[in-house]
Each structure stands twice: as structure tokens, then as C-alpha cells.
């Protein structure tokens, strides 16, 4: 399988990367839970509407900030955060313009379905696309990338279905809390659960200074 070449561009530390990914979600949760307080202290935010609309506006701003910081530090934008960010801006704008929170609630469904379909579609054509995304982080055999791509593709679809169930059958506050404190732990646990597969199919790299 062809792999991406190392770009030599600076990498973001794991801690900062986690902050950039979680930061917008934490802002979203805080703004929704403290929406009335924010509206009282910042009249401009009150113009957006109720707490969920204030949270949506701040979520969009935080997402733009995270992408900008990532670009400044690395001069590149990771594909998955970029795609997610675009959907945030489009559906967030629709949410605010139409004053209908259905759009922002559907955003996780759209993003996860898109990622799942792309990964599984790539497998259908013999292309384990996850290998092109994470090849710089670790090396796996062809079979390893195929199995890992299949698992992540199905996992994204499960997240999409889960989001639909939660936002359609529970309150907005519960959905926001689940989006931050439910989806993220589930994703972390799923990621850790893939370590045995990664270890099993890892390809050892020759040490520097030694002949291959």
C-alpha cells in the first residue's frame, strides 16, 4: 500500500492537540449551561437567542480559533477536524439564521456518517484510507490497516446512530452533556480497545544507523 511521505512540518504536542480538539466542545457545554448568565453579562450574545443558540455561536468561534491555532503551529490542517469544522460552520449558521437547533444537533450525525461511509467505501475499492491518515503515527501491515479501517468505519456509523437517538428522544441539555461527556469517553475507550490490533499488526522500523 502506498503511504504518505513525511512532510517535515512541526507537530503539535499530544496535550495541545487534545486541548484543540476538546476546547470547542467544552466551550459549547459551558455556553449552553450558562447561557442565561452570558446573555445577561454580554448583551450582544443575547441577540443570538436562547442558551443553545449562544452555545452554537461560541462553538463556531471556538472551532475557528482551534483551526487557526493548528494552522499557525503546523501550517497544515488535519483533514478530519477541517471537515468537521466546515460542517460546524454550515449547520451552525443555519441554526442561528433559522433559530432552529435541529441543524446543530444533526451536525455529529452528518460528520460521523460522512467519515464512516468514506472509510467503508474506500475498503470496498481496496483502499484502507485510515492508513493514509495515520501512517506518520504508526506503521501497520496491509491486513492491519484493513481491519482497523473497518472497525473505525463501523464505529463512526454507530456514533451517528447514537447521536440521532439521543437528540431525538432526550432534552437539549442532555444532548449537549452527552456530546461532551458521553461521546468523547466512548471514543477514547474505543481507541484504547484498538491497541491489541495495532500491536499485533505493527511493522517494526529499522533503527537509524543500521542497514535495512
Amino acid at each position: 500500500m502506498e503511504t504518505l511521505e513525511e512532510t517535515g512540518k512541526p507537530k503539535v504536542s499530544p496535550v495541545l492537540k487534545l486541548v484543540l480538539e476538546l476546547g470547542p466542545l467544552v466551550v459549547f457545554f459551558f455556553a449552553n449551561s450558562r447561557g442565561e448568565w452570558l446573555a445577561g453579562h454580554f448583551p450582544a450574545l443575547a441577540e443570538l437567542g436562547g442558551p443553545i443558540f449562544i452555545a452554537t455561536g461560541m462553538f463556531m468561534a471556538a472551532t475557528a480559533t482551534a483551526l487557526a491555532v493548528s494552522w499557525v503551529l503546523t501550517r497544515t490542517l488535519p483533514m478530519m477536524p477541517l471537515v468537521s469544522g466546515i460542517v460546524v460552520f454550515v449547520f451552525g449558521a443555519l441554526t442561528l439564521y433559522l433559530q432552529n437547533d435541529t441543524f446543530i444537533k444533526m451536525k455529529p450525525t452528518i460528520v460521523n456518517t460522512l467519515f464512516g461511509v468514506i472509510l467503508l467505501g474506500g475498503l470496498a475499492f481496496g483502499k484502507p484510507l485510515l492508513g493514509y491518515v495515520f501512517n506518520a503515527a504508526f506503521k501497520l501491515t496491509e491486513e492491519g490497516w484493513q481491519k482497523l479501517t473497518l472497525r473505525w468505519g463501523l464505529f463512526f456509523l454507530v456514533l451517528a446512530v447514537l447521536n440521532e437517538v439521543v437528540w431525538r428522544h432526550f432534552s437539549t441539555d442532555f444532548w449537549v452533556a452527552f456530546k461532551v461527556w458521553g461521546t468523547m469517553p466512548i471514543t477514547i475507550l474505543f481507541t484504547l480497545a484498538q491497541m491489541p490490533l495495532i500491536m499485533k499488526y505493527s511493522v517494526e522500523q529499522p533503527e537509524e544507523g543500521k542497514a535495512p
Side-chain angles (χ1 to χ4, degrees):
M1 180 180 69
E2 294 180 357
T3 59
L4 293 176
E5 297 295 329
E6 296 287 350
T7 62
K9 295 180 180 179
K11 296 181 179 180
V12 178
S13 70
V15 174
L16 180 55
K17 183 178 180 181
L18 184 63
V19 170
L20 292 176
E21 292 180 355
L22 287 181
L25 288 176
V26 174
V27 169
F28 186 63
F29 175 79
F30 170 79
N32 182 73
S33 62
R34 303 288 291 175
E36 294 182 1
W37 181 88
L38 288 170
H41 287 74
F42 303 95
L45 292 178
E47 297 296 324
L48 296 177
I52 187 62
F53 300 107
I54 293 175
T56 297
M58 294 186 68
F59 185 39
M60 295 168 66
T63 299
T65 299
L67 290 174
V69 171
S70 180
W71 171 259
V72 169
L73 294 177
T74 66
R75 293 299 173 184
T76 187
L77 291 175
M79 183 56 65
M80 293 175 68
L82 177 59
V83 172
S84 181
I86 291 173
V87 178
V88 166
F89 300 142
V90 172
F91 280 71
L94 288 172
T95 295
L96 296 178
Y97 181 74
L98 299 175
Q99 288 290 289
N100 187 338
D101 60 10
T102 298
F103 294 101
I104 197 63
K105 290 178 178 178
M106 289 182 61
K107 174 262 174 184
T109 301
I110 300 298
V111 171
N112 288 317
T113 299
L114 181 62
F115 288 152
V117 169
I118 289 175
L119 291 179
L120 296 179
L123 278 182
F125 289 95
K127 296 290 184 180
L129 300 178
L130 209 62
Y132 293 85
V133 178
F134 292 112
N135 181 257
F138 45 85
K139 313 289 183 180
L140 301 182
T141 64
E142 180 79 12
E143 182 181 2
W145 283 124
Q146 289 178 348
K147 290 185 176 181
L148 193 62
T149 299
L150 175 62
R151 290 185 181 185
W152 272 102
L154 294 175
F155 178 68
F156 279 126
L157 295 183
V158 169
L159 287 182
V161 172
L162 193 57
N163 182 70
E164 283 295 293
V165 171
V166 172
W167 84 260
R168 290 180 183 275
H169 294 88
F170 295 89
S171 68
T172 296
D173 288 344
F174 183 88
W175 171 78
V176 173
F178 179 80
K179 178 178 172 62
V180 180
W181 311 116
T183 301
M184 187 55 62
I186 290 173
T187 302
I188 292 174
L189 289 175
F190 177 80
T191 301
L192 293 176
Q194 307 316 304
M195 292 309 298
L197 183 149
I198 292 174
M199 297 295 294
K200 179 179 179 180
Y201 291 98
S202 291
V203 176
E204 294 185 4
Q205 299 299 306
E207 297 181 11
E208 293 186 8
K210 291 186 178 183

